[in-house]
């Protein structure tokens, strides 16, 4: 909330200054939004306690925070909190002490002391711990030399500085099509104004090299560049590619970055010293001093939508930031979202297309495997035709990929004696078996428990059976069918951080020849030796209540298929489906995206779904089901009457309980020209849930659970 404070004598404050202020019994960090004006009663106002020694928040960033809050109907303070997640960075720059040889000889020179002096003889200053490690001695030996004056203290900056990137360091040779696309993006940057360009290129067309040219143009102007990625798993390879292109390692920003490095990056962005940042969606809320370009890679990815807290969409807010700041934004994807294609079709975005793969590579052949005609033994999930294709691929010395978008070993465990299904005690969902970890897990709340030896309901032993395949079960079957294969499993449950990065590098080097994975494998990876992509259970997401199910399935299958044949040898993709006649599957086999987009657009337009209409979700949750339902129903009586707004609900959410909280949902729908935020404010501004009840609003929802 916004509060008014007095400025103590001797303190100078300006707009955007970070301050420490009293709030009740606590001391809180805040930002000065306005200075001056008439205070209501200065006698009752408390004074600002401290001004932090760091660059003030830019006026553009403050304006951005207000716009985000207004669009998503959030308190500005909640949005501001996302900008203040590194409190250590607000303090003045701390110095660190290093030690160098002083030239004085200690009273007693032991062998250990001599090793330290030998290391320090090069004149370089080192931290005490580093000096001890290099000399192979204890910290006490170094301390003794300090006390005797043989080592002198040297003050160093606490945070390592960022080197300036070189826009022309290592440019690649672009194809003719790439050069045309790059020229368009460079022109958008040099125009020094707001624009949005949709870089729409097939998998393997070299989109990254093209938008690197736009980044180079922005850097040449002395501006900062933000490259947004949907997954932390993608940052490792991108960091290397950025460093190769621009000669310096970019700043990195995501939840796995260590606190000290987060402090360094935050201050580097605030001062303008960090010129390139590669990060996840939260990087958008860093205090940009000189923003000149935002690139949103894989712009179609749902991971850009934050589902908890402030439910913002980073792609849409990147466009907003560019509009407020007057700088260009590039959206890049091989399978653009329907919203971005719709905006490009109406001239709101420039449409920059790359229709062919780079070099000699061509798009893979895609074939559908009708699972209704396959004779499959119980407990097996790979059809004979796909098994044969994998065998041929491995025998040829190539790599194959098996894709199943389901984590764990099995999505359901039940008792064959009484039919009891093992469910999460906190959510309305089944527990997923993770056999490699010997755990049952809920993928919604994180609850885990050991796999029981007997049925919890009837007590029958050895009666629990795993139903359906997960990626671990698929790997188990593959190990049996292809005993000579070198198998790598890519799933967020099993591969993270440095381990994931090393696995991806090993795959690219050809140390594994059979990759089995979830959607983690569908995002931006380049494996030159992979010539076969097999999709298991391709219909998994089609028959759901999600309005974007068709679009997401298309994007995922097209991205997975696109992993094959990116090197010199042509690739192929085999899709196992029980719905081969579905328009989506037919368009995928024909590689006719326009056919699918036309079909999907017709469905969305008839239903007034985005991008042809606007939507907002309202979730009411509480610990007591009856109380929550009564409160949700009471909201219906307060709803404003509007002929141009349709309200559905309240109804139990598809995922009716999460983390022990019962959930009921409204869905608000209207035409694009209706101010849905104004309608929601009129309806809900006076609503104050009590007790355990909570009310959350999700403008432009991506999750319908």
């Amino acid at each position: 909330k916004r509060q008014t404070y007095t400025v103590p004598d001797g303190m100078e404050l300006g707009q955007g200054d970070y301050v420490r202020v009293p709030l009740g019994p606590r001391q809180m960090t805040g930002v000065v939004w306005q200075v001056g004006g008439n205070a209501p009663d200065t006698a009752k106002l408390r004074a600002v306690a401290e001004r932090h020694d760091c660059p003030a928040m830019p006026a553009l960033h403050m304006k951005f925070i207000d716009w985000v809050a207004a669009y998503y109907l959030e308190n500005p303070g909640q949005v501001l909190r996302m900008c203040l997640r590194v409190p250590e960075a607000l303090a003045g720059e701390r110095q660190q002490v290093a030690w160098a040889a002083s030239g004085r000889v200690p009273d007693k020179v032991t062998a250990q002391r001599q090793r330290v002096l030998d290391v320090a003889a090069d004149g370089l200053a080192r931290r005490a711990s580093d000096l001890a490690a290099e000399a192979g001695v204890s910290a006490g030996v170094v301390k003794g030399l300090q006390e005797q004056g043989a080592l002198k203290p040297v003050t160093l900056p606490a945070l390592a500085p960022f080197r300036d990137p070189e826009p022309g360091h290592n440019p690649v040779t672009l194809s003719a099509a790439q050069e045309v696309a790059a020229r368009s993006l460079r022109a958008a940057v040099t125009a020094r104004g707001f624009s949005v360009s949709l870089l729409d290129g097939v998998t393997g067309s070299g989109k990254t090299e093209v938008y690197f040219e736009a980044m180079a143009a922005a850097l040449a102007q002395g501006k900062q560049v933000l490259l947004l990625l949907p997954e932390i798993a993608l940052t490792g390879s991108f960091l290397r590619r950025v460093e190769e292109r621009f000669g310096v390692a970019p700043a990195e920003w995501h939840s796995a970055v260590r606190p000290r490095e987060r402090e360094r990056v935050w201050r580097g962005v605030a001062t303008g010293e960090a010129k390139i940042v590669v990060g996840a969606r939260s990087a958008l809320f860093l205090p940009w001093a000189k923003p000149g370009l935002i690139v949103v890679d894989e712009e179609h990815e749902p991971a850009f939508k934050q589902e908890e807290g402030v439910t913002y969409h980073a792609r849409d807010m990147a466009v907003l930031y560019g509009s407020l700041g007057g700088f260009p934004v590039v959206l890049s994807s091989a399978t653009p979202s329907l919203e971005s294609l719709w905006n490009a079709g109406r001239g709101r975005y420039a449409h920059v297309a790359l229709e062919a793969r780079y070099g000699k590579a061509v798009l893979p052949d895609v074939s559908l495997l009708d699972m209704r005609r396959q004779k499959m033994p119980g407990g097996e999930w790979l059809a004979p035709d796909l098994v044969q294709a994998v065998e041929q691929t491995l025998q040829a010395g190539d790599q194959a990929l098996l894709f199943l978008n389901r984590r764990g070993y099995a999505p359901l465990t039940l008792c064959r004696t009484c039919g009891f299904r093992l469910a999460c005690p906190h959510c309305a969902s089944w527990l997923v078996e993770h056999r490699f970890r010997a755990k049952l897990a809920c993928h919604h709340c994180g609850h885990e428990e050991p796999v029981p030896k007997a049925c919890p309901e009837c007590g029958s032993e050895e009666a629990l059976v795993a139903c359906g395949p997960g990626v671990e079960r698929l790997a188990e079957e593959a190990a049996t069918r292809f005993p000579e294969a070198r198998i790598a499993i890519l799933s967020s449950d099993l591969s993270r951080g440095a381990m994931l990065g090393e696995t991806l590098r090993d795959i690219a080097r050809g140390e594994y020849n059979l990759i089995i994975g979830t959607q983690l494998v569908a995002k931006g990876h380049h494996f030159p030796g992979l010539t076969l992509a097999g999709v298991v259970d391709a219909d998994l997401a089609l028959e759901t209540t999600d309005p974007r199910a068709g679009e997401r399935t298309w994007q995922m299958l097209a991205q997975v298929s696109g992993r094959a044949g990116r090197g010199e040898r042509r690739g192929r993709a085999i899709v196992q489906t029980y719905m081969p006649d579905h328009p989506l599957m037919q368009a995928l086999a024909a590689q006719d995206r326009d056919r699918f987009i036309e079909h999907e657009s017709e469905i969305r337009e008839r239903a007034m779904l985005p991008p042809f209409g606007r939507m907002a979700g309202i979730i009411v949750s509480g610990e007591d089901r009856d109380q929550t339902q009564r409160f949700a129903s009471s909201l219906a009586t307060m709803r404003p009457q509007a002929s141009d707004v349709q309200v559905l609900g309240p109804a139990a959410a598809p995922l009716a309980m999460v983390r022990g909280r019962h959930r009921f949902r409204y869905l608000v729908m209207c035409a694009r020209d209706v101010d849905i935020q104004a309608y929601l404010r009129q309806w809900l501004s006076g609503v104050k849930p009590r007790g355990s009840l909570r009310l959350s609003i999700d403008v432009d929802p991506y999750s319908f659970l």
Side-chain angles (χ1 to χ4, degrees), residues 654-669:
L655 196 58
M657 186 171 70
V658 177
R659 299 184 180 93
R661 298 183 63 82
H662 299 274
R663 306 167 72 243
F664 290 85
R665 184 180 69 178
Y666 283 93
L667 195 59
V668 183
M669 305 176 65

Side-chain angles (χ1 to χ4, degrees), residues 359-376:
K360 298 180 180 179
V362 295
L363 289 171
D365 296 320
V366 180
S367 59
L368 305 178
L369 203 53
D370 188 348
M371 296 300 289
R372 299 171 301 181
R373 300 179 181 178
Q374 297 288 319
K375 295 181 179 180
M376 298 288 294

Side-chain angles (χ1 to χ4, degrees), residues 137-166:
V137 301
S138 68
V141 176
V142 176
K143 185 177 181 181
L145 291 172
Q146 294 169 357
E147 292 173 346
Q148 296 228 339
L151 296 175
K152 62 181 179 181
V154 178
T155 302
L156 297 177
L159 303 173
F162 288 94
R163 293 167 50 206
D164 286 337
E166 302 175 29

Side-chain angles (χ1 to χ4, degrees), residues 111-445:
Q112 289 182 321
R113 285 185 170 183
Q114 187 59 54
R115 289 207 300 272
V116 174
L117 294 174
D118 290 343
V119 170
D122 60 8
L124 298 178
R126 296 171 175 83
R127 293 183 302 174
S129 58
D130 294 335
L131 192 54
E134 285 190 51
V137 301
S138 68
V141 176
V142 176
K143 185 177 181 181
L145 291 172
Q146 294 169 357
E147 292 173 346
Q148 296 228 339
L151 296 175
K152 62 181 179 181
V154 178
T155 302
L156 297 177
L159 303 173
F162 288 94
R163 293 167 50 206
D164 286 337
E166 302 175 29
H169 174 70
N170 186 28
V172 299
T173 301
L174 302 179
S175 67
Q178 284 179 313
E179 180 54 42
V180 171
R183 193 178 304 130
S184 175
L185 298 188
R186 281 193 294 261
V189 174
T190 55
R192 295 178 182 266
F194 169 65
S195 65
V196 183
S197 300
L198 175 61
L199 181 55
D200 176 8
V202 299
T203 55
S205 59
K207 295 181 293 297
T208 303
E209 287 74 16
V210 170
Y211 67 61
F212 274 177
E213 294 302 301
M215 291 171 61
L219 294 170
Q221 296 175 353
K223 299 291 187 178
Q224 293 171 296
V225 174
L226 169 60
L227 172 53
L228 284 178
L229 302 177
E231 296 283 350
I232 295 173
L234 298 179
T235 56
S237 59
F238 267 84
L239 290 171
R240 290 189 294 274
R241 292 181 71 176
V242 172
E243 184 172 4
E244 290 172 1
R245 172 62 179 84
F246 297 105
V248 299
E252 187 176 358
W253 184 267
H254 51 73
S255 60
V257 174
R258 294 179 178 179
R260 190 66 169 163
E261 181 63 12
R262 289 171 70 85
E263 178 183 347
R264 172 176 175 257
V265 174
W266 194 96
R267 290 194 70 96
V269 171
T271 61
E273 185 183 342
K275 294 297 195 302
I276 308 176
V277 177
V278 177
R281 60 180 180 241
S282 59
L284 195 60
F285 291 90
L286 290 168
W288 296 93
K290 301 176 182 178
L293 174 68
I294 298 177
V295 178
V296 185
D297 201 6
E298 307 289 355
E299 65 86 26
H300 65 279
E301 276 291 335
F304 282 122
K305 179 65 185 286
Q306 179 160 293
E307 298 294 350
E308 295 184 349
V310 180
T311 56
Y312 70 95
H313 197 299
R315 177 199 63 210
D316 299 344
M317 293 304 98
V319 172
L320 170 65
Y321 210 153
S323 174
L324 296 175
F327 59 84
V329 177
V330 174
L331 311 179
S332 176
S333 177
T335 53
S337 63
L338 199 58
E339 284 87 349
S340 293
L341 288 171
W342 187 86
N343 280 312
R346 278 147 187 78
R348 297 180 178 182
Y349 297 173
H351 195 176
V352 182
L354 289 171
E355 299 177 352
R357 286 189 158 180
Y358 180 76
K360 298 180 180 179
V362 295
L363 289 171
D365 296 320
V366 180
S367 59
L368 305 178
L369 203 53
D370 188 348
M371 296 300 289
R372 299 171 301 181
R373 300 179 181 178
Q374 297 288 319
K375 295 181 179 180
M376 298 288 294
E380 295 185 3
W381 314 101
L382 298 174
D385 289 354
L386 179 55
V387 171
Q388 183 181 10
V390 172
E391 290 174 341
Q392 293 173 347
T393 301
L394 299 183
Q395 289 172 3
D398 294 339
Q399 293 172 311
L401 164 67
L402 295 175
F403 170 81
L404 173 62
N405 194 30
R406 189 186 277 135
R407 294 181 288 160
Y409 184 84
L412 172 65
T413 301
L414 60 77
C415 175
R416 59 188 170 195
T417 301
C418 69
F420 179 74
R421 301 182 176 196
L422 296 180
C424 176
H426 311 297
C427 302
S429 64
W430 311 123
L431 290 174
V432 177
E433 181 181 355
H434 290 258
R435 188 160 294 186
F436 291 177
R437 296 189 289 124
K439 296 282 187 181
L440 293 170
C442 174
H443 290 169
H444 299 287
C445 72

Side-chain angles (χ1 to χ4, degrees), residues 35-111:
V35 178
N38 296 319
D41 186 351
T42 55
K44 297 180 180 179
L45 295 181
R46 303 172 77 178
V48 174
E50 178 188 1
R51 177 190 176 278
H52 288 293
D53 183 17
C54 63
M57 178 178 284
L60 169 61
H61 206 64
M62 298 172 67
K63 189 176 182 181
F64 175 63
I65 290 171
D66 281 335
W67 271 82
V68 172
Y71 188 87
Y72 290 108
L73 299 173
E74 281 285 355
N75 189 306
Q78 291 296 104
V79 183
L80 178 62
R81 285 182 65 184
M82 297 192 295
C83 307
L84 301 176
R85 288 178 174 166
V86 193
E88 299 81 8
L90 301 178
E93 289 196 34
R94 294 167 288 173
Q95 304 294 316
Q96 63 177 340
V97 177
W99 298 88
S102 67
R104 291 183 60 179
V105 179
D107 296 341
K108 183 179 179 181
V109 181
T110 64

